[in-house]
Amino acid sequence: MYTFTLNMLPLIISAFISVALALYTWRNRKTAGALPFSIMMFILFQWQTSYIFQLAGLDLPTKIFWGNIMFIGVVLTPIPWLIFALEYTGRKTWVNKWRLALLCFLPVITIIVIFTNKLHHLFWVSQTLLREGGFLVLASVNGSWFWVHAAYTYLLIMTGLILIVRTLLRWPVQYRGQMLWILLATLTPLIANAVTIFQIIPIQIDLTPFAFAVTGIGMAYALFRHRLLDIAPIARDIIIDGMKDGIIVLDAKRQIVDINQAAQQIIGSYGEKQPIGKPLGDILTQWPELVERYREVLEAEDEISLGEGDAKRWYELNLSTLKDENKLLLGQVITTRDITERKLAEKQLREGEARFRQIVENASDLIYRTDIHGYFTYANTSALHAMGFKSKDEVVGKFYLDLTTPEARHKLKRTYQHQFASKTKNSYHEFPGIATDGSEIWFGQNVQLIYEGDQVIGFQALARNITAVKQAQDALRIARDQALEASRVKSQLLSKVSHELRTPLGGILGYAELLQGNAFGELNERQLKASKEIVESANYLSDMVNELLDEAQMSSSTATTLSERLFSPFTLLQQAVSGMDIIAQKKELEFSTTIDPTLPNEIFGDDRRIRQIIINLIGNAIKFTKEGSIHINVLHPDENSWEIQVIDTGIGISKEAQSYIFEPFRQADDAVTHENRGIGLGLSITKQLVELMHGRIILNSEVGKGSTFTVLLPIIKGLE
């Protein structure tokens, strides 16, 4: 049975206010403190409605039941209150699931103790009915666990209050109204609860739920009048004090009502360190001209400087007004931004631009710019002088193709178009220009793209006058062509002379050999000796003519084809050394040959030219070896190549001579070479023949210890 009376109306109104606040703040739960505040309002609603039903109950079991339900709200309320205080004062990171579980541990135990009180009477020793002021109330004698619960509850509530009060003391005046109402709304039920628990006033009715009517009114006023949870004052500490820009808030009387740390540091560096509540003019006494300049100014943007010498700092100043909903002036906001580094950078930039312009204007190189369409936008002094212009006005606005020859315009245009289309940052090209006097000037230029952001807006060129270089190149080209023509004529002459010499030499050699063979009668000893000299000289001349003919053919490219066929390297070696071993034995030289048995039986190539190479190398070895040995090795180092080595113990070749020994008409300059006739073509012809066969010749030699010539030739697959 329940009886509801008009005395319960304050409780009912308070309950409706609590649930309305809970629902409203739930919609703004992402704001700092809104979620725990909404939960706290829901719990208060549960507390108030439970107490209404407890007061309306007419028997002891009903009142005990609703009293137990009511104490769920009593036990849990301090937890969302503390979390609200932590979040609203900027300590949200302190709350995590483990700490929340720790906060809830004792309240959960308390709820269990309440609902099992009949078993142990730890929370209430006894509970009886008592009529008080028109209400039938439940009078309880508190047990030991009740005081544990009370101590824990007051600990959490007082912790939240201390956090809020400490934060309140740091907030500017304009932010304190909402928190004063929060404190009033919180302290009222706390005081009422203390009065009831400690029997400060001898009544049995719990005044706490009635005090929640004041809580509802206070919270509602803070919510709707001061926009509680819509604008959290803690943002001021995080944002305003965290800003690098200085901010000063003035009231309508130009007194300082708020100032952040950045502005405090600026003023603290030059004047008063405790400016809150003081007129702005009293703080800025060191800069009376600034105070006077902006005395009647409500809104402005300007740049000012404070300090002198190295301590001078530049600031960007902004004045703006604060007005209420009726457009009445409440005050002003002054913001200052330190732009010293920017001002120094601007100064350095200006100085750098001046130096750069001076360098560019005085540079010997030609520097000019065009826009994206090819019209000149800038040209330095050197560029003007090179083209015969007197001033920039004569060049700026001209089309770039108008300053080059008609023949070069198409190519130059394609070059610029390709660089623009491919976004090539830098390119180099040469082109002829036409000066104002009609003369042709050649330029070599590096062209760079000019960007503005990601957009190409033009071209910049660094150029040089290369007319003299082009003239020198033309002269060199003519000289080269003349030299090539002279070489060709020389080769033709050598070839023709060699052919013409062969016929008379053949006759001389034939008649000399007939004389030597007594074909024209018996010769005496002196005549035989003379005929022998004639034969040797004719043979020498014949060899020289053959070498000249080979060199002429090599130089004129008439011997670029080889007569290639399959041949036996074993037979080739026997033919090449035939007769050479007799010459070596006459000089008392040891002569030997070896051939690698793994070498293929047949190799594809020009055996006549290879035989010529071997004979040339053996002939040189015999010629320049006075004593010792000559050895010929034919090797098979791998399946793709074969080698011919001619090793002697002769005089050797110096390092200097090795650098030119394969050049035509060049010989090592020493006594032995002077004793042996030759014109220095043998090794040149040998090297050219080896390279014609796609091989290479290697020389290893040391003066006094002999030489080793190694000819490395390829083996052509499939023709072995």
Side-chain angles (χ1 to χ4, degrees), residues 299-343:
E299 296 189 357
E301 292 183 3
D302 203 353
E303 293 180 356
I304 62 172
S305 62
L306 302 178
E308 299 292 338
D310 294 338
K312 186 176 183 178
R313 308 293 295 179
W314 281 89
Y315 298 94
E316 188 177 75
L317 178 70
N318 185 283
L319 295 178
S320 58
T321 57
L322 292 174
K323 296 181 180 181
D324 61 13
E325 60 273 13
N326 297 318
K327 305 299 182 180
L328 296 176
L329 182 67
L330 295 178
Q332 286 179 287
V333 176
I334 302 174
T335 60
T336 57
R337 174 172 295 179
D338 192 329
I339 58 171
T340 305
E341 293 184 3
R342 191 187 79 188
K343 297 292 285 187

Side-chain angles (χ1 to χ4, degrees), residues 346-358:
E346 289 175 352
K347 180 182 178 182
Q348 293 173 355
L349 182 61
R350 288 193 299 271
E351 294 174 351
E353 286 178 348
R355 288 195 298 268
F356 176 74
R357 184 171 294 277
Q358 184 178 11

Side-chain angles (χ1 to χ4, degrees), residues 678-693:
I679 57 174
L681 288 176
L683 288 178
S684 173
I685 293 171
T686 297
K687 184 174 186 293
Q688 292 180 72
L689 287 174
V690 170
E691 291 176 348
L692 190 61
M693 298 176 187

Side-chain angles (χ1 to χ4, degrees), residues 17 281 413 437 450:
I17 293 175
K413 182 179 179 180
D437 60 2
I450 303 173

Side-chain angles (χ1 to χ4, degrees), residues 195-211:
V195 168
T196 301
I197 290 176
F198 296 104
Q199 292 291 304
I200 298 174
I201 299 176
I203 57 176
Q204 294 298 321
I205 296 176
D206 189 352
L207 299 177
T208 307
F210 291 94

Side-chain angles (χ1 to χ4, degrees), residues 31-32 84 87-90 167-168 170-172 174-179 182 226-241 258:
T31 306
F84 164 76
E87 289 191 13
Y88 205 63
T89 58
T167 304
L168 177 64
R170 293 189 290 109
W171 286 350
Q174 62 267 33
Y175 296 120
R176 295 179 183 175
Q178 60 188 43
M179 288 311 298
I182 292 174
H226 294 282
R227 300 180 66 192
L228 175 67
L229 302 179
D230 287 343
I231 301 176
I234 194 60
R236 187 267 176 202
D237 289 339
I238 297 173
I239 299 174
I240 303 301
D241 275 339
D258 192 13

